[in-house]
Amino acid sequence: MTLLDVFLSTLEITLPVFAMVFIGLGLRRLGWIDLPFINTASALVFKATLPTLIFLSIIQADLETTLNPGLLGFFLLATIASFLLSWVWATWRVPYADRGVYVQGAFRGNCGIVGLALATNLYGDFGLSAGGLLLGMVIISYNALSVVVLAAYQPGQTLSWQTILRDVVRNPLIISVIAAVPVAWSGIQLPGWLLISGNYFASLTLPLALLCIGGTLSIAALRTDSKTATGASMMKMVALPCICTTAAWLVGFRGQELGLLFLFFASPTAAASFVMVKALGGNDRLAANIVALTTLVASVTITIGVFMLRTGGVI
């Protein structure tokens, strides 16, 4: 296979995902979808279709292949290291009041939608089921670390750890993973009609979620806070994926596992980061700029990353 063949096949993996994002952006500008639609559709995805997708992917997976404690442990350690590195860098380069927003934007990726969609495109059922298991680690670690750094730079503003723990336990994605693993281990077979109906429902997830991401992007908002937003975006989309993926390769990850880790590390900043910043009274405009900028450049950085890893023969 020539380099051109590898590049074209890489585009077939990444472009369908980001095409849906830009279609969502176009539909919002045309007025064919509006904010109430986006809010309703996003809630449907988070509360129902995505948990269904994760549940079905796990119960139909070979857990001996997809449930890898080493992979989960490495991702957790890499997430904590990314968080600490971003925080250290922010203390040198970012104004005090914006450091918490910068750090969260730099380490918190949109693994639940963009990362999972790319993993599914690249690795099919393995990417979906292994990525679903990783999401449990993502939700817990991202929420806990975000609370720490945002509260540190917002005087007088705190989030109750009891509230955070309650939200994590009640998170539909966590519940779907916890419910699916024992079903998969037990070998229980769900009725065929139920699986087919569930798959129909779950198939709404990725296209609908990607359209909503595109619909929430605001290019006009990028005109402000450009320096700090650009710095956080470069950290999120270039520096940390390179560092973490290289570390994963050095400790022995190869093939599907390395590719999955890269896609999760390289995912653009999660929209949930904006929600948490706004709740604490931080610089929500900066948070929105980081989400928008990382999402816009992800189509380029992730495509280049996947191409380089495939050319090197490590994924």
Side-chain angles (χ1 to χ4, degrees), residues 136-157:
M137 188 70 68
V138 165
I139 293 166
I140 296 171
S141 60
Y142 281 3
N143 278 283
L145 295 174
S146 295
V147 169
V148 170
V149 73
L150 289 174
Y153 292 102
Q154 296 299 320
Q157 297 286 340

mmCIF file with all atom_site columns, all heavy atoms in Angstrom, residues 136-157:
data_model
loop_
_atom_site.group_PDB
_atom_site.id
_atom_site.type_symbol
_atom_site.label_atom_id
_atom_site.label_alt_id
_atom_site.label_comp_id
_atom_site.label_asym_id
_atom_site.label_entity_id
_atom_site.label_seq_id
_atom_site.pdbx_PDB_ins_code
_atom_site.Cartn_x
_atom_site.Cartn_y
_atom_site.Cartn_z
_atom_site.occupancy
_atom_site.B_iso_or_equiv
_atom_site.pdbx_formal_charge
_atom_site.auth_seq_id
_atom_site.auth_comp_id
_atom_site.auth_asym_id
_atom_site.auth_atom_id
_atom_site.pdbx_PDB_model_num
ATOM 1   N N   . GLY A 1 136 ? -16.102 4.955  31.092 1.00 0.00 ? 136 GLY A N   1
ATOM 2   C CA  . GLY A 1 136 ? -16.312 4.957  32.536 1.00 0.00 ? 136 GLY A CA  1
ATOM 3   C C   . GLY A 1 136 ? -15.164 5.638  33.257 1.00 0.00 ? 136 GLY A C   1
ATOM 4   O O   . GLY A 1 136 ? -15.370 6.449  34.174 1.00 0.00 ? 136 GLY A O   1
ATOM 5   N N   . MET A 1 137 ? -13.937 5.337  32.832 1.00 0.00 ? 137 MET A N   1
ATOM 6   C CA  . MET A 1 137 ? -12.754 5.974  33.398 1.00 0.00 ? 137 MET A CA  1
ATOM 7   C C   . MET A 1 137 ? -12.726 7.459  33.061 1.00 0.00 ? 137 MET A C   1
ATOM 8   O O   . MET A 1 137 ? -12.370 8.305  33.894 1.00 0.00 ? 137 MET A O   1
ATOM 9   C CB  . MET A 1 137 ? -11.495 5.291  32.852 1.00 0.00 ? 137 MET A CB  1
ATOM 10  C CG  . MET A 1 137 ? -10.212 5.718  33.504 1.00 0.00 ? 137 MET A CG  1
ATOM 11  S SD  . MET A 1 137 ? -10.079 5.110  35.193 1.00 0.00 ? 137 MET A SD  1
ATOM 12  C CE  . MET A 1 137 ? -9.915  3.337  34.879 1.00 0.00 ? 137 MET A CE  1
ATOM 13  N N   . VAL A 1 138 ? -13.127 7.789  31.837 1.00 0.00 ? 138 VAL A N   1
ATOM 14  C CA  . VAL A 1 138 ? -13.135 9.178  31.381 1.00 0.00 ? 138 VAL A CA  1
ATOM 15  C C   . VAL A 1 138 ? -14.048 10.039 32.249 1.00 0.00 ? 138 VAL A C   1
ATOM 16  O O   . VAL A 1 138 ? -13.666 11.114 32.728 1.00 0.00 ? 138 VAL A O   1
ATOM 17  C CB  . VAL A 1 138 ? -13.590 9.250  29.912 1.00 0.00 ? 138 VAL A CB  1
ATOM 18  C CG1 . VAL A 1 138 ? -13.955 10.680 29.516 1.00 0.00 ? 138 VAL A CG1 1
ATOM 19  C CG2 . VAL A 1 138 ? -12.504 8.705  28.988 1.00 0.00 ? 138 VAL A CG2 1
ATOM 20  N N   . ILE A 1 139 ? -15.270 9.576  32.447 1.00 0.00 ? 139 ILE A N   1
ATOM 21  C CA  . ILE A 1 139 ? -16.274 10.373 33.160 1.00 0.00 ? 139 ILE A CA  1
ATOM 22  C C   . ILE A 1 139 ? -15.831 10.672 34.588 1.00 0.00 ? 139 ILE A C   1
ATOM 23  O O   . ILE A 1 139 ? -15.919 11.808 35.064 1.00 0.00 ? 139 ILE A O   1
ATOM 24  C CB  . ILE A 1 139 ? -17.632 9.635  33.153 1.00 0.00 ? 139 ILE A CB  1
ATOM 25  C CG1 . ILE A 1 139 ? -18.172 9.566  31.727 1.00 0.00 ? 139 ILE A CG1 1
ATOM 26  C CG2 . ILE A 1 139 ? -18.644 10.338 34.065 1.00 0.00 ? 139 ILE A CG2 1
ATOM 27  C CD1 . ILE A 1 139 ? -19.299 8.583  31.561 1.00 0.00 ? 139 ILE A CD1 1
ATOM 28  N N   . ILE A 1 140 ? -15.339 9.659  35.277 1.00 0.00 ? 140 ILE A N   1
ATOM 29  C CA  . ILE A 1 140 ? -14.937 9.837  36.668 1.00 0.00 ? 140 ILE A CA  1
ATOM 30  C C   . ILE A 1 140 ? -13.722 10.751 36.779 1.00 0.00 ? 140 ILE A C   1
ATOM 31  O O   . ILE A 1 140 ? -13.713 11.721 37.557 1.00 0.00 ? 140 ILE A O   1
ATOM 32  C CB  . ILE A 1 140 ? -14.647 8.467  37.321 1.00 0.00 ? 140 ILE A CB  1
ATOM 33  C CG1 . ILE A 1 140 ? -15.933 7.632  37.374 1.00 0.00 ? 140 ILE A CG1 1
ATOM 34  C CG2 . ILE A 1 140 ? -14.078 8.654  38.722 1.00 0.00 ? 140 ILE A CG2 1
ATOM 35  C CD1 . ILE A 1 140 ? -15.705 6.191  37.809 1.00 0.00 ? 140 ILE A CD1 1
ATOM 36  N N   . SER A 1 141 ? -12.686 10.475 36.000 1.00 0.00 ? 141 SER A N   1
ATOM 37  C CA  . SER A 1 141 ? -11.442 11.247 36.121 1.00 0.00 ? 141 SER A CA  1
ATOM 38  C C   . SER A 1 141 ? -11.614 12.682 35.647 1.00 0.00 ? 141 SER A C   1
ATOM 39  O O   . SER A 1 141 ? -11.150 13.629 36.303 1.00 0.00 ? 141 SER A O   1
ATOM 40  C CB  . SER A 1 141 ? -10.314 10.561 35.337 1.00 0.00 ? 141 SER A CB  1
ATOM 41  O OG  . SER A 1 141 ? -10.634 10.446 33.964 1.00 0.00 ? 141 SER A OG  1
ATOM 42  N N   . TYR A 1 142 ? -12.281 12.888 34.533 1.00 0.00 ? 142 TYR A N   1
ATOM 43  C CA  . TYR A 1 142 ? -12.444 14.242 34.007 1.00 0.00 ? 142 TYR A CA  1
ATOM 44  C C   . TYR A 1 142 ? -13.242 15.127 34.961 1.00 0.00 ? 142 TYR A C   1
ATOM 45  O O   . TYR A 1 142 ? -12.888 16.281 35.200 1.00 0.00 ? 142 TYR A O   1
ATOM 46  C CB  . TYR A 1 142 ? -13.144 14.202 32.648 1.00 0.00 ? 142 TYR A CB  1
ATOM 47  C CG  . TYR A 1 142 ? -12.252 13.838 31.486 1.00 0.00 ? 142 TYR A CG  1
ATOM 48  C CD1 . TYR A 1 142 ? -10.916 13.494 31.674 1.00 0.00 ? 142 TYR A CD1 1
ATOM 49  C CD2 . TYR A 1 142 ? -12.733 13.826 30.186 1.00 0.00 ? 142 TYR A CD2 1
ATOM 50  C CE1 . TYR A 1 142 ? -10.104 13.147 30.611 1.00 0.00 ? 142 TYR A CE1 1
ATOM 51  C CE2 . TYR A 1 142 ? -11.931 13.491 29.111 1.00 0.00 ? 142 TYR A CE2 1
ATOM 52  C CZ  . TYR A 1 142 ? -10.621 13.149 29.323 1.00 0.00 ? 142 TYR A CZ  1
ATOM 53  O OH  . TYR A 1 142 ? -9.818  12.811 28.266 1.00 0.00 ? 142 TYR A OH  1
ATOM 54  N N   . ASN A 1 143 ? -14.334 14.603 35.500 1.00 0.00 ? 143 ASN A N   1
ATOM 55  C CA  . ASN A 1 143 ? -15.162 15.406 36.397 1.00 0.00 ? 143 ASN A CA  1
ATOM 56  C C   . ASN A 1 143 ? -14.420 15.755 37.683 1.00 0.00 ? 143 ASN A C   1
ATOM 57  O O   . ASN A 1 143 ? -14.457 16.905 38.141 1.00 0.00 ? 143 ASN A O   1
ATOM 58  C CB  . ASN A 1 143 ? -16.466 14.669 36.726 1.00 0.00 ? 143 ASN A CB  1
ATOM 59  C CG  . ASN A 1 143 ? -17.511 14.832 35.643 1.00 0.00 ? 143 ASN A CG  1
ATOM 60  O OD1 . ASN A 1 143 ? -18.164 15.860 35.530 1.00 0.00 ? 143 ASN A OD1 1
ATOM 61  N ND2 . ASN A 1 143 ? -17.668 13.813 34.821 1.00 0.00 ? 143 ASN A ND2 1
ATOM 62  N N   . ALA A 1 144 ? -13.742 14.782 38.269 1.00 0.00 ? 144 ALA A N   1
ATOM 63  C CA  . ALA A 1 144 ? -13.034 15.031 39.527 1.00 0.00 ? 144 ALA A CA  1
ATOM 64  C C   . ALA A 1 144 ? -11.907 16.043 39.349 1.00 0.00 ? 144 ALA A C   1
ATOM 65  O O   . ALA A 1 144 ? -11.769 16.993 40.132 1.00 0.00 ? 144 ALA A O   1
ATOM 66  C CB  . ALA A 1 144 ? -12.486 13.716 40.080 1.00 0.00 ? 144 ALA A CB  1
ATOM 67  N N   . LEU A 1 145 ? -11.086 15.867 38.310 1.00 0.00 ? 145 LEU A N   1
ATOM 68  C CA  . LEU A 1 145 ? -9.952  16.757 38.100 1.00 0.00 ? 145 LEU A CA  1
ATOM 69  C C   . LEU A 1 145 ? -10.408 18.169 37.715 1.00 0.00 ? 145 LEU A C   1
ATOM 70  O O   . LEU A 1 145 ? -9.788  19.163 38.117 1.00 0.00 ? 145 LEU A O   1
ATOM 71  C CB  . LEU A 1 145 ? -9.033  16.187 37.015 1.00 0.00 ? 145 LEU A CB  1
ATOM 72  C CG  . LEU A 1 145 ? -8.346  14.862 37.373 1.00 0.00 ? 145 LEU A CG  1
ATOM 73  C CD1 . LEU A 1 145 ? -7.571  14.319 36.188 1.00 0.00 ? 145 LEU A CD1 1
ATOM 74  C CD2 . LEU A 1 145 ? -7.422  15.024 38.580 1.00 0.00 ? 145 LEU A CD2 1
ATOM 75  N N   . SER A 1 146 ? -11.493 18.253 36.954 1.00 0.00 ? 146 SER A N   1
ATOM 76  C CA  . SER A 1 146 ? -12.008 19.569 36.560 1.00 0.00 ? 146 SER A CA  1
ATOM 77  C C   . SER A 1 146 ? -12.473 20.363 37.774 1.00 0.00 ? 146 SER A C   1
ATOM 78  O O   . SER A 1 146 ? -12.247 21.581 37.871 1.00 0.00 ? 146 SER A O   1
ATOM 79  C CB  . SER A 1 146 ? -13.157 19.416 35.563 1.00 0.00 ? 146 SER A CB  1
ATOM 80  O OG  . SER A 1 146 ? -12.708 18.849 34.341 1.00 0.00 ? 146 SER A OG  1
ATOM 81  N N   . VAL A 1 147 ? -13.130 19.701 38.705 1.00 0.00 ? 147 VAL A N   1
ATOM 82  C CA  . VAL A 1 147 ? -13.588 20.365 39.914 1.00 0.00 ? 147 VAL A CA  1
ATOM 83  C C   . VAL A 1 147 ? -12.399 20.934 40.686 1.00 0.00 ? 147 VAL A C   1
ATOM 84  O O   . VAL A 1 147 ? -12.422 22.070 41.162 1.00 0.00 ? 147 VAL A O   1
ATOM 85  C CB  . VAL A 1 147 ? -14.388 19.398 40.805 1.00 0.00 ? 147 VAL A CB  1
ATOM 86  C CG1 . VAL A 1 147 ? -14.636 20.007 42.181 1.00 0.00 ? 147 VAL A CG1 1
ATOM 87  C CG2 . VAL A 1 147 ? -15.719 19.048 40.153 1.00 0.00 ? 147 VAL A CG2 1
ATOM 88  N N   . VAL A 1 148 ? -11.340 20.159 40.799 1.00 0.00 ? 148 VAL A N   1
ATOM 89  C CA  . VAL A 1 148 ? -10.158 20.580 41.561 1.00 0.00 ? 148 VAL A CA  1
ATOM 90  C C   . VAL A 1 148 ? -9.573  21.860 40.987 1.00 0.00 ? 148 VAL A C   1
ATOM 91  O O   . VAL A 1 148 ? -9.344  22.847 41.700 1.00 0.00 ? 148 VAL A O   1
ATOM 92  C CB  . VAL A 1 148 ? -9.094  19.464 41.574 1.00 0.00 ? 148 VAL A CB  1
ATOM 93  C CG1 . VAL A 1 148 ? -7.783  19.984 42.158 1.00 0.00 ? 148 VAL A CG1 1
ATOM 94  C CG2 . VAL A 1 148 ? -9.592  18.270 42.384 1.00 0.00 ? 148 VAL A CG2 1
ATOM 95  N N   . VAL A 1 149 ? -9.318  21.883 39.677 1.00 0.00 ? 149 VAL A N   1
ATOM 96  C CA  . VAL A 1 149 ? -8.607  23.023 39.103 1.00 0.00 ? 149 VAL A CA  1
ATOM 97  C C   . VAL A 1 149 ? -9.505  24.246 38.964 1.00 0.00 ? 149 VAL A C   1
ATOM 98  O O   . VAL A 1 149 ? -9.043  25.384 39.148 1.00 0.00 ? 149 VAL A O   1
ATOM 99  C CB  . VAL A 1 149 ? -7.983  22.635 37.740 1.00 0.00 ? 149 VAL A CB  1
ATOM 100 C CG1 . VAL A 1 149 ? -9.053  22.491 36.655 1.00 0.00 ? 149 VAL A CG1 1
ATOM 101 C CG2 . VAL A 1 149 ? -6.924  23.649 37.326 1.00 0.00 ? 149 VAL A CG2 1
ATOM 102 N N   . LEU A 1 150 ? -10.779 24.078 38.680 1.00 0.00 ? 150 LEU A N   1
ATOM 103 C CA  . LEU A 1 150 ? -11.659 25.235 38.551 1.00 0.00 ? 150 LEU A CA  1
ATOM 104 C C   . LEU A 1 150 ? -11.915 25.890 39.904 1.00 0.00 ? 150 LEU A C   1
ATOM 105 O O   . LEU A 1 150 ? -11.920 27.122 40.021 1.00 0.00 ? 150 LEU A O   1
ATOM 106 C CB  . LEU A 1 150 ? -12.983 24.821 37.899 1.00 0.00 ? 150 LEU A CB  1
ATOM 107 C CG  . LEU A 1 150 ? -12.906 24.472 36.409 1.00 0.00 ? 150 LEU A CG  1
ATOM 108 C CD1 . LEU A 1 150 ? -14.246 23.947 35.907 1.00 0.00 ? 150 LEU A CD1 1
ATOM 109 C CD2 . LEU A 1 150 ? -12.477 25.678 35.580 1.00 0.00 ? 150 LEU A CD2 1
ATOM 110 N N   . ALA A 1 151 ? -12.124 25.075 40.917 1.00 0.00 ? 151 ALA A N   1
ATOM 111 C CA  . ALA A 1 151 ? -12.358 25.625 42.259 1.00 0.00 ? 151 ALA A CA  1
ATOM 112 C C   . ALA A 1 151 ? -11.130 26.352 42.786 1.00 0.00 ? 151 ALA A C   1
ATOM 113 O O   . ALA A 1 151 ? -11.236 27.314 43.547 1.00 0.00 ? 151 ALA A O   1
ATOM 114 C CB  . ALA A 1 151 ? -12.770 24.507 43.213 1.00 0.00 ? 151 ALA A CB  1
ATOM 115 N N   . ALA A 1 152 ? -9.945  25.912 42.359 1.00 0.00 ? 152 ALA A N   1
ATOM 116 C CA  . ALA A 1 152 ? -8.702  26.528 42.837 1.00 0.00 ? 152 ALA A CA  1
ATOM 117 C C   . ALA A 1 152 ? -8.559  27.977 42.386 1.00 0.00 ? 152 ALA A C   1
ATOM 118 O O   . ALA A 1 152 ? -7.896  28.775 43.042 1.00 0.00 ? 152 ALA A O   1
ATOM 119 C CB  . ALA A 1 152 ? -7.502  25.711 42.354 1.00 0.00 ? 152 ALA A CB  1
ATOM 120 N N   . TYR A 1 153 ? -9.185  28.336 41.255 1.00 0.00 ? 153 TYR A N   1
ATOM 121 C CA  . TYR A 1 153 ? -9.015  29.684 40.711 1.00 0.00 ? 153 TYR A CA  1
ATOM 122 C C   . TYR A 1 153 ? -10.311 30.496 40.689 1.00 0.00 ? 153 TYR A C   1
ATOM 123 O O   . TYR A 1 153 ? -10.375 31.531 40.034 1.00 0.00 ? 153 TYR A O   1
ATOM 124 C CB  . TYR A 1 153 ? -8.450  29.595 39.291 1.00 0.00 ? 153 TYR A CB  1
ATOM 125 C CG  . TYR A 1 153 ? -7.038  29.081 39.284 1.00 0.00 ? 153 TYR A CG  1
ATOM 126 C CD1 . TYR A 1 153 ? -6.752  27.762 38.943 1.00 0.00 ? 153 TYR A CD1 1
ATOM 127 C CD2 . TYR A 1 153 ? -5.974  29.899 39.651 1.00 0.00 ? 153 TYR A CD2 1
ATOM 128 C CE1 . TYR A 1 153 ? -5.454  27.273 38.950 1.00 0.00 ? 153 TYR A CE1 1
ATOM 129 C CE2 . TYR A 1 153 ? -4.669  29.429 39.658 1.00 0.00 ? 153 TYR A CE2 1
ATOM 130 C CZ  . TYR A 1 153 ? -4.415  28.112 39.312 1.00 0.00 ? 153 TYR A CZ  1
ATOM 131 O OH  . TYR A 1 153 ? -3.130  27.644 39.330 1.00 0.00 ? 153 TYR A OH  1
ATOM 132 N N   . GLN A 1 154 ? -11.324 30.026 41.401 1.00 0.00 ? 154 GLN A N   1
ATOM 133 C CA  . GLN A 1 154 ? -12.562 30.781 41.509 1.00 0.00 ? 154 GLN A CA  1
ATOM 134 C C   . GLN A 1 154 ? -12.860 31.037 42.984 1.00 0.00 ? 154 GLN A C   1
ATOM 135 O O   . GLN A 1 154 ? -13.571 30.261 43.630 1.00 0.00 ? 154 GLN A O   1
ATOM 136 C CB  . GLN A 1 154 ? -13.726 30.012 40.857 1.00 0.00 ? 154 GLN A CB  1
ATOM 137 C CG  . GLN A 1 154 ? -13.588 29.794 39.367 1.00 0.00 ? 154 GLN A CG  1
ATOM 138 C CD  . GLN A 1 154 ? -13.512 31.099 38.597 1.00 0.00 ? 154 GLN A CD  1
ATOM 139 O OE1 . GLN A 1 154 ? -14.220 32.056 38.913 1.00 0.00 ? 154 GLN A OE1 1
ATOM 140 N NE2 . GLN A 1 154 ? -12.632 31.159 37.611 1.00 0.00 ? 154 GLN A NE2 1
ATOM 141 N N   . PRO A 1 155 ? -12.312 32.094 43.567 1.00 0.00 ? 155 PRO A N   1
ATOM 142 C CA  . PRO A 1 155 ? -12.499 32.374 45.003 1.00 0.00 ? 155 PRO A CA  1
ATOM 143 C C   . PRO A 1 155 ? -13.974 32.467 45.371 1.00 0.00 ? 155 PRO A C   1
ATOM 144 O O   . PRO A 1 155 ? -14.772 33.098 44.673 1.00 0.00 ? 155 PRO A O   1
ATOM 145 C CB  . PRO A 1 155 ? -11.812 33.736 45.178 1.00 0.00 ? 155 PRO A CB  1
ATOM 146 C CG  . PRO A 1 155 ? -10.850 33.831 44.045 1.00 0.00 ? 155 PRO A CG  1
ATOM 147 C CD  . PRO A 1 155 ? -11.489 33.106 42.902 1.00 0.00 ? 155 PRO A CD  1
ATOM 148 N N   . GLY A 1 156 ? -14.312 31.795 46.449 1.00 0.00 ? 156 GLY A N   1
ATOM 149 C CA  . GLY A 1 156 ? -15.694 31.839 46.926 1.00 0.00 ? 156 GLY A CA  1
ATOM 150 C C   . GLY A 1 156 ? -16.623 30.909 46.200 1.00 0.00 ? 156 GLY A C   1
ATOM 151 O O   . GLY A 1 156 ? -17.811 30.817 46.541 1.00 0.00 ? 156 GLY A O   1
ATOM 152 N N   . GLN A 1 157 ? -16.107 30.202 45.185 1.00 0.00 ? 157 GLN A N   1
ATOM 153 C CA  . GLN A 1 157 ? -16.946 29.282 44.429 1.00 0.00 ? 157 GLN A CA  1
ATOM 154 C C   . GLN A 1 157 ? -16.465 27.853 44.679 1.00 0.00 ? 157 GLN A C   1
ATOM 155 O O   . GLN A 1 157 ? -15.295 27.547 44.510 1.00 0.00 ? 157 GLN A O   1
ATOM 156 C CB  . GLN A 1 157 ? -16.876 29.576 42.926 1.00 0.00 ? 157 GLN A CB  1
ATOM 157 C CG  . GLN A 1 157 ? -17.394 30.933 42.532 1.00 0.00 ? 157 GLN A CG  1
ATOM 158 C CD  . GLN A 1 157 ? -18.901 31.008 42.583 1.00 0.00 ? 157 GLN A CD  1
ATOM 159 O OE1 . GLN A 1 157 ? -19.586 29.989 42.559 1.00 0.00 ? 157 GLN A OE1 1
ATOM 160 N NE2 . GLN A 1 157 ? -19.437 32.217 42.679 1.00 0.00 ? 157 GLN A NE2 1
#
